[in-house]
Amino acid sequence: MKQKAAASAPGKVILFGEHFVVSGRPAVVTAINLRAKVEVVLENDKTIFRSRQSWSSWSRKGEPVHPTPPKTSSFTPLYMMASKIMEDHGVSSCFRAEIYSDIPGGAGLGSSAAISTALARALSNLFGLNLSTQRLVEYAMVAEKEYHGRPSGIDPHASAYGGTLLYEGPGKFQPLQLGISPEMLVVFTGLKRKTSDMVDQVVKLASENRREFGELSSLYSEVFVRSVEALKSNNLELLGRLMTINHYLLRALGLSNEVVEKCVEDLLRTGVYGAKLTGAGGGGSVVAVGRTNQEAAVFSLLSSYPKAWVVKTSCPGVRDEN
Ligand code: PMV
């Protein structure tokens, strides 16, 4: 057992297939260069989680010390995951976890999965468990289920494996080798929302409108097939057009709103090849792929949003840090 360890994991952008992936259709996800880092240090009698915004602690016996119930902590899913890792490996220890993340929460960029995956890897190192990447995903899913209800698992796979993945379900994915990993624009609308609420909304809509949902899913499947061709051949213009079509399908599922529409329209007006909401929708972020000679127009637009990035795609997955 070490005294301390650290790991980081990337956030992600879903390029195609959010929500459709929950009902079993394949999606395309790429790891981006916004990361969450977690440092863990052995402690004597308390387990503490701390981020820039807040902190929580549990006694050695597993009782919440701060905040005390009835208030629940946003770190509870992480504590549950850590407890499961320790229980499965016969470890009984207290630790402090310091979380540093570039990824805003509730923005559709995989913040919770990046933190869970980085924490699982840091604990694996701290306790000398040598957990495989797939085991890290499985543990991150423990926290994801607490945070999101019924996650497809796409986020922890992207955080753990990195790169660009064709993702169908837990353990069912293929890395996609891209000739060039295009840079993309990611704009956070500033509207945070809960993934589980948006997923429930779509599940309800799908069960009440089976035929229409089936038709939209079939249209999505065609977009998916062409998106893989576009990615493999580095055809960014086609990729952008397909992203915009995917956005319209998500809009038909009721996942857009005025704020998201304005953001997509603003981006399209600058001449990008395409733009779509990414993640659960209802706010969150918009991703766009564009031509470089539009940069001036794009940058002046980006400054009018709360947060925006030109991100690298196909970035490395979870890794150890000092
Ligand atoms: O907004 P995010 O990062 O939580 O992405 C959710 C993607 C969904 O397809 C809507 C849900 C899921 O678990 O796949």
Side-chain angles (χ1 to χ4, degrees), residues 180-191:
I180 311 167
S181 303
E183 288 194 335
M184 299 212 177
L185 300 160
V186 175
V187 183
F188 177 37
T189 60
L191 256 189

Side-chain angles (χ1 to χ4, degrees), residues 185-190 247 256-270 272 274-277 283-288 301-302 304-308:
L185 300 160
V186 175
V187 183
F188 177 37
T189 60
H247 177 73
S256 195
N257 57 26
E258 263 178 47
V259 177
V260 175
E261 282 312 295
K262 179 171 181 317
C263 188
V264 169
E265 291 303 322
D266 281 351
L267 280 161
L268 290 176
R269 258 199 305 276
T270 67
V272 295
K276 66 182 274 291
L277 72 81
S285 300
V286 169
V287 58
L301 166 74
L302 296 188
S304 65
Y305 281 91
K307 274 200 173 125

Side-chain angles (χ1 to χ4, degrees), residues 8-12 29-32 35 110 112-121 131-141 153-165 167 173 315-320:
S8 75
K12 64 88 192 43
V29 64
T30 191
I32 57 175
R35 299 184 75 88
S112 61
I115 293 170
S116 311
T117 309
L119 174 64
R121 171 72 162 243
L131 295 177
S132 68
T133 310
Q134 192 52 35
R135 288 299 282 154
L136 296 179
V137 171
E138 285 159 19
Y139 283 121
M141 281 296 276
I154 192 167
D155 291 13
H157 279 79
S159 286
Y161 287 97
T164 297
L165 305 178
Y167 181 83
F173 66 94
C315 291
V318 67
R319 66 178 179 221
D320 297 337

Side-chain angles (χ1 to χ4, degrees), residues 12 14 18-19 21-22 108-110 151-152 154-155 193 195 199 279-280:
K12 64 88 192 43
I14 298 180
E18 47 277 273
H19 290 281
V21 71
V22 175
L109 302 177
S152 67
I154 192 167
D155 291 13
R193 77 291 166 283
T195 301
V199 170

Side-chain angles (χ1 to χ4, degrees), residues 76-253:
T76 300
L78 297 178
Y79 178 76
M80 290 170 75
M81 180 192 81
S83 304
K84 173 98 178 92
I85 293 175
M86 293 197 284
E87 195 187 309
D88 287 355
H89 296 87
V91 179
S92 150
S93 253
C94 291
F95 63 87
R96 176 161 46 90
E98 303 277 355
I99 299 164
Y100 309 90
S101 181
D102 307 330
I103 314 162
L109 302 177
S111 152
S112 61
I115 293 170
S116 311
T117 309
L119 174 64
R121 171 72 162 243
L123 291 174
S124 169
N125 288 346
L126 186 71
F127 302 134
L129 306 178
N130 205 12
L131 295 177
S132 68
T133 310
Q134 192 52 35
R135 288 299 282 154
L136 296 179
V137 171
E138 285 159 19
Y139 283 121
M141 281 296 276
V142 173
E144 285 292 279
K145 281 183 186 151
E146 290 302 316
Y147 280 122
H148 302 308
R150 53 180 129 189
S152 67
I154 192 167
D155 291 13
H157 279 79
S159 286
Y161 287 97
T164 297
L165 305 178
L166 304 182
Y167 181 83
E168 275 185 71
K172 272 173 76 185
F173 66 94
Q174 272 176 54
L176 187 69
Q177 301 304 336
L178 307 182
I180 311 167
S181 303
E183 288 194 335
M184 299 212 177
L185 300 160
V186 175
V187 183
F188 177 37
T189 60
L191 256 189
K192 296 195 173 201
R193 77 291 166 283
K194 255 185 107 183
T195 301
S196 54
D197 292 347
M198 304 312 294
V199 170
D200 289 349
Q201 184 182 312
V202 173
V203 169
K204 183 166 180 283
L205 182 128
S207 73
E208 287 168 0
N209 305 274
R210 282 178 198 281
R211 188 161 159 202
E212 290 78 2
F213 185 72
E215 282 165 1
L216 285 174
S217 300
S218 303
L219 287 171
Y220 167 68
S221 292
E222 285 178 37
V223 171
F224 168 78
V225 170
R226 297 201 66 206
S227 77
V228 178
E229 286 163 20
L231 280 162
K232 282 188 176 160
S233 60
N234 294 315
N235 187 339
L236 296 189
E237 220 168 321
L238 176 61
L239 187 73
R241 279 206 304 276
L242 293 166
M243 282 164 64
T244 307
I245 296 171
N246 191 164
H247 177 73
Y248 294 142
L249 297 177
L250 294 167
R251 194 167 81 177
L253 290 178

